[in-house]
Amino acid sequence: PAGLFNKIAKNYRARQDQIRPLFHSAKSGIHLNSNPCSSSNLLLLLGIVAHFLDAHYRHRTLLLGLPRL
């Protein structure tokens, strides 16, 4: 789990200039969820997704990370 957290944090830092303004202008709470899945070549992946209402009250879904497990 520590390695997984580091991968997700690194991905966020690389894109924080794009993500942060969306989060700051959100009109709702930001809800996070994770979904394990496997790819066609049997890699186990963990999707990290954020759901929120943007500044125009539209539902937004952002993929924050898709690290291998």
Side-chain angles (χ1 to χ4, degrees):
L4 180 60
F5 175 81
N6 290 337
K7 287 180 184 180
I8 295 167
K10 181 180 177 184
N11 187 45
Y12 174 78
R13 283 191 300 273
R15 291 173 179 77
Q16 70 182 358
D17 291 341
Q18 298 166 343
I19 296 171
R20 188 176 286 167
L22 293 172
F23 283 176
H24 281 289
S25 65
K27 298 297 184 181
S28 68
I30 299 165
H31 305 274
L32 302 175
N33 70 1
S34 60
N35 298 307
C37 60
S38 60
S39 67
S40 59
N41 58 357
L42 303 178
L43 290 176
L44 185 57
L45 304 168
L46 180 66
I48 311 296
V49 180
H51 301 276
F52 60 97
L53 295 178
D54 70 9
H56 303 287
Y57 294 93
R58 291 178 298 197
H59 178 257
R60 297 290 302 261
T61 300
L62 295 179
L63 178 65
L64 300 179
L66 193 64
R68 283 178 40 180
L69 296 178

